[in-house]
Structures are given as C-alpha cells and as structure tokens.
Amino acid sequence: MNYRKRFLVEPGAKVQLGELDPDFTGKHANETAAKADIADDLERLRKLQYRLYAEHERSLLIVLQALDAGGKDGTVRHVFGAFNPQGANVHAFKVPTPEEAAHDFLWRAHAATPARGHIAIFNRSHYEDVLVARVHDLVPEEMWSKRYDRINEFEKNLVQAGTHILKFFLHISPDEQLRRFKKRLDDPQSWWKLNESDYAERKHWDGYRKAYEDVLERCSTKRAPWYVIPANHKWFRNLAVASIVAYTLDELDPKLPKPAADIGAIRRAYEEAAAATSPA
Ligand code: AMP
Ligand code: MG
C-alpha cells in the first residue's frame, strides 16, 4: 500500500488540519486485517536499511512531530525497531540545555544529522523552535518568523549533501489525546510519562494547530516533504509511516558496493585452508 501521495503536503499548498480525518484507516478495516501488510513493510525496511548502510553514500533523516500523546514514541518502537541499531539513531529533542540554548537553534539539530549510510530519527526536532517557541512566546515573533526560511535552507543543504528527509506529523484529535491521557492515568506503568503540563498544553490546542499549519505550508518542499499521518489508530499510523519510509528507500535503491577484495583468490585460499584441515 502506498500512502505517499495521499498524505503528502504538496509544497506551497494551504493546509487545514480540521479537514484531515485523524480516524482514516484506508482499505483496512482493523489491525488484524492490516497485520500482514505491516509485517511486509517492516521486512522491506530491514532489507533496505542493510543496503543503505552497505552503500555508505547517502543517509536518511526522519522527523517525527506530534502533540503530546500523539504517538511519537510508539512509532519509534513499532516502526523503527525494524532497523539494525548499528546504522540507526534516535534523537529526542527536549527543552534546550544551557549549552544548546547558547547556540543558534539549528546547532543541536545539525549535530544529530545522520552520517553516510545511517538513518537518524528525530523525536521532536528543530521544528519545536517554530512550535512551542511560538505558542509560548519563548522568543519574539520577529525572531521565530524568520526561522522557516532558515529551516528550509538548512534542509536544502542536507539534501545536497546526500541526506534524504522525510517529515511526519502524527495527527490525532483532542478526544483521542484525552483518551490516551486517561489510559496513562489508569496504568501505574505509565505514570512516569505523566506531566501536569500535558493538560495545560491542551488549552493551546488552537495555537498549536495554527503553528503546525504554518510549518506544513511553509516547510514542505519537494526534497524534504511533510506528511500528515492520520494517527488516532496506532496500527494505521505504523502502517502509513512504515510504507512511506519503505517506498522512499526503495526509490533510493541503495546498491551494495563492489567487493574490494578478489573474491576468487579468497575462495581459493579458503579451499586450501579447508583441505589442509580436513581429516586425511
Ligand atoms: P517529551 O517529548 O514529552 O519528552 O517532552 C519534551 C519537551 O521539550 C516538550 O514539552 C517540548 O515542547 C520541549 N521542547 C523541545 N524542544 C524545545 C525547544 N526548542 N524549546 C522549548 N521547548 C522544547
Ligand atoms: Mg510528553
């Protein structure tokens, strides 16, 4: 299933999140019906990452953004668990440390970008600097309003250096968020995740919606596209993200490098060694 076209934010298109259905599940009626397709996509991710790593030329940056309880952690676990950790890295962006805050806002993002052959997953990202920073007036408008262009330039530079970029906004409804908060409240194993500010943040739902719409409109580019993923159903979110990443890696078509060694000579050496150790 290729959801790439369906959930893509066309560069420059106007976005109204209220018109995008967070409950959408496409042709699959439920998780059971989607199981085989999800497993297929995860298997494709495994194989493609192997080739990307071996090729050691290009890299992939995946940005995950969502409101609280939007499913960023779950996506990391269920989708990117398919990757070999040797070539994949998850970087969670928190409130900037004093050292990070002492630098320009892209400094910490740049430092976490993927090396050749690697995949980096940003759990939150440099976009927080035009989201939380804007909604909470952490910096004056004069400052955050200039950041969209800076972000586009930054991403363009990465693309030119061989990093492919995919950006996912996990779209949930306010009701679904409340259901997830309640589930956490009912499960002592989840209490560590609870935060009074999660509830306070709900008051800013409209502010975040506007801030996200601006991000999607201004920073979805051909080379570094945004996708809005219907995320009320976790299984569908996983399916959609996995299929878009797999499709993209497939298109990159990473190639195994030519062998650096003379395979024939190594085979002959092996056969001699094997003959010398086999019982007479
Ligand atoms: P969590 O993802 O639940 O661990 O929370 C991380 C927190 O860090 C969230 O409340 C984010 O809004 C906050 N955060 C991330 N980046 C920034 C930033 N650049 N400025 C201020 N707060 C941030
Ligand atoms: Mg949180």
Side-chain angles (χ1 to χ4, degrees), residues 67-69 72-73 94 124 181 184 193-195 197-198:
L67 295 179
D68 293 310
K72 300 183 295 295
D73 295 343
K94 307 287 183 185
R124 301 187 192 267
F181 284 169
R184 289 180 180 180
K193 285 191 194 178
L194 290 179
N195 196 326
S197 82
D198 289 349

Side-chain angles (χ1 to χ4, degrees), residues 222-244:
K222 188 159 174 289
R223 299 276 164 212
W226 269 106
Y227 295 89
V228 177
I229 304 296
N232 272 5
H233 298 281
K234 297 172 180 177
W235 61 268
F236 183 76
R237 169 204 77 204
N238 294 340
L239 175 74
V241 171
S243 86
I244 292 169

